[in-house]
Amino acid sequence: MHSFLRVVAAGVLLTLLATAGCAEGRTEARPTAGVPETSPPAPVPLTPQVAESAFRTYVTDEDVARSAGDERLALTWTSDGQSQLTAAEFRKAAYDGDPVQRFVYGKPELYVPKLKDAAYPQWFVVSVDRSVLGKDKSKRRTLMGFVLRGPSDHWKLTLATLLQEKAKEPEVAIDADGYATALGTDDPSVLIRPRDVGGIQATIAAEGPRSVAAKVMKSSAVTTGFYQDAKRARKKAKKKDLTLQVVYTATPFPYFGLRTEHGGGLVIYSLFRNTSLVAKDSDTPKPEIPQEAEHLLDGTVEGNEVDTTATLQFAAYDPPKAKKNATQPKAHMIADDGAVTKAATPPVKKQP
């Protein structure tokens, strides 16, 4: 029996040595720890109740951030153009030594489109009275666009614009279930395709009242008025031997279109205004930094040029296409807001 056990032990030892020899130079396999799989959040259908809750949450969180002067926290509740404007606002407040303004909101009207449950981005628009805390007679009707880009994200304010003093807010059509109707980007029932409203405004701002685009959009302070403002500014710059260029362009940010009563549309969108003030002659004094951009620069002009970008946010009423032989009303602007959000003083380009 003992002899048998010695033979078995010797056999086991030889087997282990052989296995070790074969395994030499190889990495020993180790058991892998199992990682539990997590399912993404289920999409939540957008309803008027969901939108109201999202708006109330935003109002509370915005005030927490602004009362604390916490720019980073404030930016977590915004996106796109509204993030640019919020960052510029905090920077200006710091430059001026003032607290960031806080807001008080009235009862909101929510315009919630009926979307497919799994469709993203989700969005809705709010029309609400907003006042600056501590400032009498500051109440303005504000149109606000909110976006949710995915089920794992949270609702963010992407756009806010102020109703013009003499403008009448169009009535958005609401069905029996409390939903609004979203306009398609190429909706043929309105005078201007919703995606082109911003381009029409920018064209008039560049070309003035004689523009072909002026045939479909009314003259106002933010259409032909922009054209006249740029014309005067260029003349003023020329007297100082400076060249001023002003260009309005589209943004990559979301825009919103909603059906209004009687078949028209409310379109909310944004534009960039890019300006460049240049002293081409080396003997000409450097251009001065515009007052509205001082908080974005360090107070010096390195080269002979000052460039700025303003983020502007608008709302327009887009009328329905008139029937044959009927008079066609023009589109018109109803809301605007914005500020300079970027500035630069690039050095003089070296000649090759």
Side-chain angles (χ1 to χ4, degrees):
M1 184 67 178
H2 290 293
S3 297
F4 174 75
L5 291 175
R6 281 197 295 271
V7 171
V8 171
V12 171
L13 179 60
L14 288 172
T15 300
L16 291 174
L17 289 174
T19 303
C22 293
E24 187 176 352
R26 295 188 306 186
T27 303
E28 182 181 354
R30 298 179 182 274
T32 56
V35 179
E37 295 184 1
T38 57
S39 300
V44 176
L46 176 59
T47 65
Q49 294 73 27
V50 168
E52 183 173 9
S53 176
F55 174 71
R56 293 301 180 191
T57 297
Y58 170 79
V59 168
T60 300
D61 293 334
E62 178 202 44
D63 192 59
V64 169
R66 286 176 175 270
S67 62
D70 191 331
E71 177 183 352
R72 182 175 297 181
L73 181 59
L75 290 174
T76 63
W77 305 111
T78 63
S79 66
D80 306 304
Q82 198 61 35
S83 288
Q84 295 179 348
L85 289 164
T86 299
E89 182 185 358
F90 270 80
R91 189 161 179 178
K92 189 175 190 310
Y95 180 84
D96 294 337
D98 297 327
V100 180
Q101 61 184 5
R102 297 165 62 188
F103 298 114
V104 178
Y105 293 88
K107 183 179 179 180
E109 290 187 36
L110 290 95
Y111 305 138
V112 184
K114 184 68 173 177
L115 304 175
K116 294 180 180 179
D117 291 350
Y120 286 92
Q122 294 181 353
W123 60 273
F124 65 90
V125 171
V126 174
S127 175
V128 64
D129 287 331
R130 187 181 73 176
S131 304
V132 177
L133 182 65
K135 290 188 177 181
D136 296 334
K137 300 180 180 180
S138 63
K139 184 169 70 173
R140 297 286 301 274
R141 193 68 173 177
T142 307
L143 296 172
M144 308 170 73
F146 290 85
V147 168
L148 179 68
R149 287 188 162 86
S152 300
D153 201 0
H154 61 263
W155 285 97
K156 296 177 182 179
L157 177 66
T158 183
L159 184 155
T161 187
L162 303 176
L163 194 70
Q164 296 166 353
E165 291 185 3
K166 296 182 179 181
K168 183 179 179 181
E169 184 178 358
E171 294 184 10
V172 174
I174 304 296
D175 67 17
D177 296 321
Y179 288 95
T181 300
L183 292 178
T185 58
D186 295 316
D187 194 299
S189 66
V190 288
L191 178 61
I192 305 172
R193 293 183 301 182
R195 71 178 186 183
D196 294 335
V197 173
I200 292 293
Q201 182 193 6
T203 300
I204 299 173
E207 300 176 358
R210 295 184 180 181
S211 170
V212 174
K215 293 182 179 181
V216 294
M217 183 174 284
K218 286 184 178 180
S219 175
S220 72
V222 293
T223 54
T224 53
F226 279 166
Y227 171 80
Q228 296 295 343
D229 290 344
K231 189 176 179 180
R232 285 190 292 267
R234 282 193 292 268
K235 287 183 178 180
K236 185 177 179 181
K238 189 175 181 180
K239 290 180 180 179
K240 298 180 180 180
D241 295 324
L242 300 173
T243 300
L244 174 66
Q245 184 178 29
V246 181
V247 179
Y248 290 86
T249 64
T251 73
F253 308 142
Y255 63 92
F256 310 101
L258 293 163
R259 179 75 65 196
T260 62
E261 296 285 353
H262 311 297
L266 171 64
V267 184
I268 306 171
Y269 60 95
S270 57
L271 290 175
F272 287 137
R273 179 174 60 212
N274 301 301
T275 69
S276 182
L277 188 61
V278 184
K280 291 188 176 180
D281 191 334
S282 59
D283 296 331
T284 301
K286 294 180 179 182
E288 297 179 358
I289 295 174
Q291 184 177 357
E292 64 270 20
E294 289 178 344
H295 59 290
L296 300 173
L297 297 169
D298 60 5
T300 60
V301 178
E302 185 177 356
N304 62 341
E305 181 178 342
V306 177
D307 300 330
T308 67
T309 297
T311 303
L312 307 176
Q313 304 188 135
F314 302 98
Y317 173 68
D318 192 2
K321 280 185 179 177
K323 295 181 180 180
K324 189 176 181 180
N325 298 325
T327 301
Q328 176 64 66
K330 293 183 178 182
H332 61 271
M333 307 301 301
I334 64 168
D336 66 270
D337 196 24
V340 174
T341 53
K342 184 179 178 181
T345 57
V348 177
K349 296 179 181 179
K350 294 183 179 179
Q351 298 296 329

